[in-house]
Amino acid sequence: MNSAADVRTGRQDLEPSRSDAILAAIHDGVYELALDGTIVAFNPGAERLLGYDAASVLGRDAHRLFHLPRDGAPHSPEDCGILEVLETGISYRGSDVFRRRDGQYIDVSLSSAAVLTSHGDIDGVVVVFHDITERLRREQMKDDFFAFAAHEVRNPLSTVVGFTRWLHRRAKSTPERFDADEHAAIESLATEAKRVAATIEVFLDLTRIQSDRLLMDAGDVDVEALVRQEAARLASDNVEAKISVTANGASLVRKVDPDRLRQVVENLMTNAVRYGGAPPRVQVDLLQSEYGLVVKVTDNGSGIREADQPHIFERFYQGARGSGAKKKGLGVGLYIASEIVGRMGGKLTFQTSSAGTCFTLAVPAPPGGPVEIVSHSVGLGHPTVST
């Protein structure tokens, strides 16, 4: 069996028996493809996961044997990351499906790297994979449960929220009918009912994203008016915060989903107030260029810790802003915001320093085409926009 051990160790002098022992000791599946896509190495882990013995697969085309999509059609180089490694030499990591010898499909997480000759030429590709079928099944069960629970709670909660709003309006219109304690209780009830309803919507959004059912209902939106409305609402709820909005005077109308855009803007501005200085100062800038509409939300906080920066847009990640900032919420607001912006064809990025953090939302100009902005970097400043 041809050895792939030198790919892992960088050594060229391993004896076959030693390289075979290394491959046998790896619990994950490992196989190697020659330039023509045929299998030249197949370790015991791959035998266990796929049900084939090595002797029966050597010399056969992996993309006609087990690396097949669920419809059974062979992969082409254009739609297969592994075959692309043979063309480019660039390593590939991702998830895929493999078909076992018994015909069952398994979900796999895999990584692959090119095998190089002593002259640096591509001589094949090594693939390491492991079965994630059960993990994905458990994640799906969890997502289904959240979706079911959220839907079941949403209906009775709608009734509670409706009557709470009615009671709140009545207390406002006829204050003489309620004493101070009753007014305080009604205010608290209205606030908490709104908070629970918002949490339910978050769970529903998470399940929509996971099942790729987060739909957009696009319409012409005056983005400046929308941002100013959100700024005014947030300022009324946070009297200590100073929120400023500036625009460049050009037309800021975009064909987007107004509710989803409002959700993103609200999240960015709320975070800016929450993590801002004392008192919070939030600057919102609306800019228009040939690339599209750019909305920048800048706070005066102490910045995002370096350790947290790569994870800011991850689901359920809760980092701390600066030193001593408290963790709040579920850690999904920026994840959902980035998913929404991505479905608009735009990009959400940030820049941060000890002087504050600037989140930048870019929405492409008509007729479309994604806007690329520089990824997050340390040092507060203006993001570079380019096509």
Side-chain angles (χ1 to χ4, degrees):
M1 181 173 68
N2 292 342
S3 171
D6 58 322
V7 178
R8 295 177 53 81
T9 65
R11 294 180 56 186
Q12 306 292 327
D13 58 349
L14 293 178
E15 295 295 330
S17 59
R18 186 176 178 186
S19 60
D20 289 345
I22 292 174
L23 287 175
I26 299 174
H27 184 72
D28 289 342
V30 181
Y31 65 91
E32 179 184 344
L33 302 182
L35 283 174
D36 62 0
T38 57
I39 303 167
V40 295
F42 203 76
N43 82 329
E47 292 179 322
R48 175 179 54 81
L49 292 172
L50 297 177
Y52 293 97
D53 60 90
S56 69
V57 302
L58 295 181
R60 299 178 67 179
D61 187 341
H63 291 83
R64 295 185 178 275
L65 182 62
F66 59 82
H67 189 189
L68 297 163
R70 296 189 190 276
D71 62 8
H75 282 288
S76 64
E78 292 77 20
D79 62 11
C80 176
I82 296 173
L83 290 176
E84 189 173 342
V85 175
L86 289 172
E87 295 289 331
T88 65
I90 301 174
S91 298
Y92 167 77
R93 299 184 66 178
S95 57
D96 214 320
V97 293
F98 285 174
R99 187 176 67 184
R100 288 174 42 85
R101 185 178 183 181
D102 60 11
Q104 296 296 314
Y105 283 88
I106 61 172
D107 294 284
V108 298
S109 176
L110 60 85
S111 59
S112 56
V115 179
L116 303 179
T117 68
S118 59
H119 301 291
D121 298 322
I122 300 173
D123 193 39
V125 59
V126 170
V127 181
V128 181
F129 68 95
H130 64 273
D131 187 352
I132 60 172
T133 306
E134 182 59 23
R135 190 191 81 190
L136 293 182
R137 187 186 71 84
R138 290 196 300 267
E139 289 179 355
Q140 185 61 52
M141 289 177 62
K142 178 188 68 177
D143 291 339
D144 290 345
F145 170 76
F146 280 145
F148 172 77
H151 278 290
E152 288 299 301
V153 172
R154 189 187 198 186
N155 290 333
L157 182 62
S158 297
T159 302
V160 173
V161 171
F163 277 110
T164 299
R165 288 174 177 168
W166 171 81
L167 182 60
H168 190 245
R169 288 195 300 269
R170 187 165 185 178
K172 289 283 189 182
S173 61
T174 56
E176 70 281 357
R177 301 185 61 176
F178 303 88
D179 61 32
D181 289 341
E182 289 170 338
H183 275 289
I186 292 170
E187 287 287 346
S188 178
L189 180 62
T191 299
E192 293 304 307
K194 181 179 179 181
R195 184 180 66 84
V196 174
T199 301
I200 294 299
E201 289 303 317
V202 166
F203 279 118
L204 288 172
D205 277 345
L206 287 174
T207 58
R208 291 172 185 134
I209 291 170
Q210 291 303 110
S211 58
D212 200 25
R213 290 185 290 108
L214 187 67
L215 303 179
M216 297 289 161
D217 187 12
D220 290 333
V221 178
D222 185 333
V223 180
E224 181 180 355
L226 183 150
V227 169
R228 291 189 182 278
Q229 289 169 4
E230 284 304 301
R233 184 195 61 77
L234 191 61
S236 67
D237 293 338
N238 301 270
V239 293
E240 77 286 0
K242 179 176 176 55
I243 304 173
S244 302
V245 179
T246 61
N248 65 359
S251 172
L252 298 175
V253 175
R254 281 292 179 275
K255 187 173 286 296
V256 294
D257 186 318
D259 294 331
R260 291 302 182 184
L261 180 61
R262 187 181 302 276
Q263 183 177 351
V264 173
V265 170
E266 178 187 15
N267 177 266
L268 297 180
M269 294 172 63
T270 300
N271 281 347
V273 170
R274 177 182 298 168
Y275 295 107
R281 294 183 178 274
V282 180
Q283 177 63 45
V284 184
D285 295 298
L286 288 83
L287 313 171
Q288 182 158 292
S289 71
E290 60 183 298
Y291 309 108
L293 173 66
V294 176
V295 181
K296 294 168 46 183
V297 180
T298 306
D299 65 46
N300 64 331
S302 54
I304 302 172
R305 296 187 309 177
E306 185 174 355
D308 293 328
Q309 292 175 24
H311 310 289
I312 285 298
F313 296 116
E314 292 181 5
R315 185 173 63 155
F316 298 126
Y317 186 82
Q318 290 183 313
R321 293 282 194 95
S323 58
K326 295 181 179 179
K327 295 180 180 179
K328 298 180 180 180
L330 297 171
V332 296
L334 285 174
Y335 166 74
I336 293 175
S338 65
E339 291 289 332
I340 291 173
V341 174
R343 283 162 171 76
M344 292 178 178
K347 197 82 171 179
L348 182 61
T349 60
F350 69 90
Q351 293 179 301
T352 188
S353 76
S354 59
T357 299
C358 175
F359 278 87
T360 301
L361 159 65
V363 180
V371 173
E372 295 291 339
I373 352 183
V374 71
S375 60
H376 75 267
S377 60
V378 179
L380 187 62
H382 298 286
T384 302
V385 182
S386 61
T387 52

